[in-house]
């Protein structure tokens, strides 16, 4: 790692140097806050989900070994968004389709700017852009790690139409497939969607590191038989187990998140939901540890 003084031109060429830089930025936050982010990983042109997450894995691990576990795990549709924060300073590891970068910020300034971004998209009309890919982060997890948890949380963007909801789900699930195995190796994540038009029925969306992205719906109250099986398979379901229909989409396929999102929306609409406003999400969690927040899901959180 080299630092040329006033220009603060920093070059990083190894996980160890990235870890040293992270510690230096965090320790000297006041002198670097507001400076341009420093690249610590570059991805090959056109790199897919699996290639990007493997390229980041060693660098992320080295940073955690040096700085400690983050205060907030998380990510956006663009890439990881991991934070070591207290009330005055915030070290941010963020990324996109081209690579990952480290930067340090004054906590209050950065979070106030982000909260304004969330506020603008609080409720979308069907004619709106539905730009969930522009959110600063779409998921965050707090596990009582070092630093200080934010006192307030950003508002959640709500999908105003089915097209926007399907896109929000696709972006969220794609982010999980890329980011969870790096930040939280071996952990699963999931949430349950309920519809006011079909009270009591659970539709579960999840990520499992051994299988990939999954969707399951409780169908135990429906009569089973060849016609029901034809109907459910026509919607995109793969198999039935103890009254639940299930589908799994392995993240090795680039369209896995899109297929899981499409199946989720198709099933909710088939069971009577008229708009995304009929929906609510609950039971959000990552291996049942910590507080999971999903402001980019597009659905009201209970």
């Amino acid at each position: 790692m080299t630092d040329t003084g006033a220009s603060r031109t920093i070059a990083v060429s190894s996980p160890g140097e990235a870890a040293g830089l992270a510690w230096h930025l965090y320790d000297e936050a006041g002198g670097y806050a507001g400076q341009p982010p420093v690249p610590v990983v570059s991805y090959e042109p056109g790199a897919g989900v699996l290639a990007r997450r493997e390229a980041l894995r060693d660098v992320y691990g080295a940073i955690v070994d040096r700085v400690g576990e983050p205060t907030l795990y998380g990510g956006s549709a663009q890439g990881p968004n991991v934070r070591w924060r207290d009330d005055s300073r915030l070290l941010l590891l963020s990324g996109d389709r081209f690579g990952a970068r480290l930067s340090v910020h004054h906590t209050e300034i950065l979070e106030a700017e982000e909260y304004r971004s969330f506020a603008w998209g609080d409720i979308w009309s069907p004619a709106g852009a539905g730009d969930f890919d522009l959110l600063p982060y779409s998921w965050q997890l707090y596990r009582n790690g070092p630093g200080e948890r934010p006192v307030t949380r950003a508002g959640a963007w709500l999908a105003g139409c089915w097209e926007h909801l399907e896109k929000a789900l696709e972006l969220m699930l794609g982010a999980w497939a890329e980011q969870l195995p790096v930040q939280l190796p071996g952990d699963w994540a999931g949430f349950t969607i309920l519809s006011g038009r079909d009270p009591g029925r659970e539709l579960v969306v999840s990520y499992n590191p051994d299988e990939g992205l999954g969707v399951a719906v409780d169908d135990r109250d429906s009569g089973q038989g060849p016609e029901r099986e034809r109907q459910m398979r026509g919607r995109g379901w793969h198999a039935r187990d103890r009254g639940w229909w299930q589908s799994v989409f392995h993240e090795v396929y680039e369209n896995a998140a899109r297929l899981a999102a499409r199946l989720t929306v198709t099933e909710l609409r088939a069971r009577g939901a008229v708009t995304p406003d009929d929906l609510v999400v609950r039971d959000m969690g990552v291996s049942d540890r910590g507080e999971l927040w999903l402001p980019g899901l597009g659905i009201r959180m209970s």
Side-chain angles (χ1 to χ4, degrees):
M1 178 176 69
T2 60
D3 185 340
T4 61
S7 65
R8 301 193 190 279
T9 300
I10 302 173
V12 172
S13 59
S14 70
E17 289 189 352
L21 170 65
W23 176 256
H24 181 65
L25 292 178
Y26 193 56
D27 190 49
E28 300 290 338
Y32 285 88
Q35 295 292 321
V38 180
V40 292
V41 176
S42 295
Y43 304 141
E44 294 292 331
V49 169
L50 301 185
R52 291 195 300 269
R53 78 185 192 192
E54 292 311 309
L56 181 61
R57 191 184 296 274
D58 288 346
V59 169
Y60 176 79
I63 292 172
V64 169
D65 287 344
R66 183 68 185 274
V67 182
E69 291 294 326
T71 313
L72 293 167
Y73 304 88
S76 72
Q78 302 300 321
N81 192 290
V82 186
R83 300 168 181 229
W84 293 260
R85 75 176 293 286
D86 57 30
D87 284 342
S88 61
R89 61 182 176 176
L90 189 154
L91 177 67
L92 176 64
L93 175 65
S94 60
D96 55 23
R97 295 297 182 266
F98 304 100
R101 297 165 295 278
L102 281 168
S103 57
V104 67
H105 306 265
H106 296 298
T107 304
E108 184 177 359
I109 294 174
L110 177 66
E111 292 183 344
E113 179 181 322
E114 292 176 335
Y115 290 0
R116 285 193 294 272
S117 298
F118 280 103
W120 278 107
D122 187 29
I123 298 178
W124 285 100
S125 70
D131 292 326
F132 287 89
D133 58 325
L134 300 181
L135 285 172
Y137 48 88
S138 55
W139 70 276
Q140 273 191 344
L141 175 68
Y142 175 67
R143 279 188 167 173
N144 296 302
E148 297 170 341
R149 176 186 182 278
V151 176
T152 60
R153 280 175 163 164
W157 278 17
L158 302 180
C161 67
W162 292 114
E163 179 183 5
H164 293 167
L165 177 58
E166 186 172 322
K167 189 62 178 179
L169 282 165
E170 177 187 343
L171 293 171
M172 173 76 69
L173 295 177
W176 275 7
E178 179 177 344
Q179 298 155 18
L180 283 170
V182 174
Q183 297 180 37
L184 299 151
D187 282 12
W188 57 263
F191 53 86
T192 299
I193 302 176
L194 301 176
S195 169
R197 304 281 181 165
D198 189 21
R201 188 180 313 282
E202 296 184 340
L203 188 151
V204 179
V205 182
S206 62
Y207 174 78
N208 182 310
D210 296 324
E211 299 179 349
L213 300 169
V215 187
V217 67
D218 186 352
D219 198 48
R220 289 173 293 180
D221 59 343
S222 298
Q224 301 302 318
E227 177 58 26
R228 184 59 173 170
E229 181 165 346
R230 182 198 63 78
Q231 183 183 55
M232 294 300 282
R233 290 189 182 277
R235 293 178 191 169
W237 294 101
H238 295 168
R240 182 174 178 267
D241 180 26
R242 289 170 289 184
W244 285 71
W245 279 94
Q246 304 172 1
S247 290
V248 176
F249 307 94
H250 200 286
E251 69 268 31
V252 68
Y253 300 106
E254 287 292 321
N255 64 346
R258 183 180 307 115
L259 293 174
R262 182 174 302 159
L263 174 59
T264 299
V265 170
T266 297
E267 188 64 25
L268 291 167
R269 298 185 71 178
R271 293 183 184 271
V274 178
T275 73
D277 194 49
D278 291 330
L279 310 176
V280 65
V281 63
R282 73 177 190 191
D283 301 332
M284 304 169 289
V286 178
S287 293
D288 292 330
R289 287 183 52 222
E291 303 172 31
L292 178 63
W293 182 243
L294 302 176
L297 185 59
I299 304 173
R300 288 180 295 113
M301 288 172 275
S302 63

